[in-house]
Amino acid sequence: MSRLRRKIVIGTGRALALSRGGRTHPRSGLHRGHAASPRSRGEGEVRVTGPPLLALRGVSKRFGAVQALKDVDLEIHEGEVVALLGDNGAGKSTLVKVISGVTPADKGVIEWQGRAVQIRTPRIARRLGIATVYQNLALCDDLDVAENLFLGRERRCPGVRGRLFRLMDTGGMRREARGQLDALGIRVPDLRTPVATLSAGQRQTVAISRALLGRPKAILLDEPTAALGVPQASHVLDLVDELREQGIGVILISHNLGDVKAVADEAAVLRLGRNNGFFHVPTTSQDRIFSAMVGATTNA
Ligand SMILES: Nc1ncnc2c1ncn2[C@@H]1O[C@H](COP(=O)(O)OP(=O)(O)OP(=O)(O)O)[C@@H](O)[C@H]1O
């Protein structure tokens, strides 16, 4: 069995849907999301055209002799979940790094809200409104939940206490952290809990929540359910649904076709660094997407 076949999981979407209260994905019928969202999903949908939130056109990236990406196209709209799929080495991580400014592209055009941009650094990506949650989550285990949420953007107390004595506004940060977690339906009983003691699922949601404090318009999630059991993965997928409702564009890297089926609107498949098909997830079988991933079909 190939490494890919071991890694790709087919068919858990139904189990997840059931574990998520038997709720089917909101794609059936009109978009339930953000009022300003330019798209709606499902059968008989009305597709409103407008500039995508993010568009990649002909993006290429080479590492020495390795052509990691070749003429790759990708589009994502507000309030849309696009799954980025592919075999090991297909170029998914490289594409995420290109979008997040870690590894700028050699060639091609990136458009943000209809305007060509150059994302040369992670800071530029963040300023545009692009957040990335990597698999390692980059949480500090010894810090508590609130401290992790505000890591790198700590707030000082208002007035002289902050200016002169440089005191942190711990209470204010905890209150905002609690508001943010509640708004996202994330249950963490005590914000003073060190994140080391949280479950893998809770850690993932804390990392996503931290990314959201920067008020991004697009968020890239690198295999957010990879290390999780079914109930925990279900919470994370609920959170992805919530992001869509808020009008955020989500790029979801996953090897789990069940997750993709449960939550994604569109799937973009990469194969050997090139596009190998775009699929409207609700109306496409897992087998068809799987075939594109492993190269059994060519959809370039
Ligand atoms: N920094 C680098 N230097 C040299 N080659 C690289 C570098 N980063 C990626 N590559 C190569 O680029 C190709 C695409 O790799 P990438 O990690 O983007 O694929 P992937 O789809 O994310 O794979 P996986 O699912 O295994 O993480 C691979 O052949 C990889 O070896």
Side-chain angles (χ1 to χ4, degrees):
M1 193 184 275
S2 73
R3 188 170 157 216
L4 174 69
R5 279 171 196 278
R6 279 201 308 278
K7 276 185 81 179
I8 296 175
V9 184
I10 298 186
T12 55
R14 189 177 168 78
L16 277 175
L18 291 172
S19 76
R20 299 165 82 196
R23 172 155 82 87
T24 54
H25 192 262
R27 286 168 316 216
S28 51
L30 287 178
H31 195 307
R32 66 171 190 176
H34 195 252
S37 189
R39 276 203 164 185
S40 54
R41 286 174 292 271
E43 304 290 348
E45 67 191 29
V46 180
R47 288 196 178 224
V48 182
T49 51
L53 182 61
L54 175 73
L56 274 63
R57 314 218 187 271
V59 164
S60 298
K61 178 73 195 176
R62 174 180 280 280
F63 297 106
V66 179
Q67 186 75 53
L69 298 173
K70 178 77 178 154
D71 294 331
V72 169
D73 294 340
L74 184 74
E75 281 191 359
I76 179 161
H77 293 76
E78 286 178 20
E80 183 179 54
V81 179
V82 175
L84 185 59
L85 301 166
D87 196 349
N88 298 118
K92 305 178 297 295
S93 302
T94 305
L95 196 60
V96 166
K97 287 179 190 158
V98 164
I99 297 169
S100 56
V102 174
T103 309
D106 303 331
K107 239 184 75 188
V109 175
I110 301 180
E111 290 171 10
W112 177 254
Q113 297 180 310
R115 207 166 46 86
V117 291
Q118 294 199 342
I119 310 181
R120 286 185 303 269
T121 64
R123 178 187 280 245
I124 294 174
R126 278 196 301 273
R127 276 215 210 110
L128 288 171
I130 300 170
T132 308
V133 179
Y134 292 100
Q135 258 180 301
N136 66 13
L137 302 184
L139 296 175
C140 289
D141 279 352
D142 295 337
L143 298 183
D144 69 28
V145 174
E147 288 166 338
N148 264 284
L149 284 186
F150 283 91
L151 198 62
R153 50 180 143 222
E154 292 84 357
R155 299 244 180 86
R156 296 204 188 282
C157 289
V160 74
R161 286 191 309 146
R163 275 204 317 275
L164 213 59
F165 300 108
R166 307 184 75 74
L167 291 178
M168 292 294 167
D169 183 12
T170 313
M173 287 190 284
R174 288 221 173 100
R175 274 194 300 280
E176 191 173 337
R178 171 56 68 200
Q180 161 101 345
L181 295 173
D182 286 350
L184 293 168
I186 297 172
R187 283 181 295 279
V188 177
D190 188 352
L191 294 181
R192 287 164 300 187
T193 313
V195 296
T197 64
L198 299 180
S199 71
Q202 285 173 320
R203 289 166 62 84
Q204 182 65 245
T205 53
V206 168
I208 295 173
S209 187
R210 185 171 90 180
L212 293 174
L213 274 181
R215 310 247 175 270
K217 295 187 176 71
I219 186 162
L220 284 66
L221 302 178
D222 191 0
E223 303 230 28
T225 61
L228 309 182
V230 170
Q232 294 182 333
S234 166
H235 287 309
V236 171
L237 296 183
D238 282 345
L239 182 51
V240 172
D241 271 346
E242 182 60 37
L243 301 183
R244 170 177 28 229
E245 286 208 25
Q246 293 186 8
I248 295 173
V250 182
I251 295 181
L252 175 76
I253 297 189
S254 179
H255 276 100
N256 188 319
L257 289 179
D259 286 1
V260 170
K261 208 61 185 153
V263 82
D265 305 296
E266 304 285 330
V269 174
L270 292 181
R271 173 97 189 129
L272 303 173
R274 294 168 187 267
N275 289 117
N276 195 27
F278 297 94
F279 302 94
H280 182 235
V281 172
T283 53
T284 309
S285 71
Q286 289 190 29
D287 282 349
R288 191 151 167 239
I289 299 173
F290 179 80
S291 297
M293 290 170 71
V294 298
T297 54
T298 305
N299 309 287

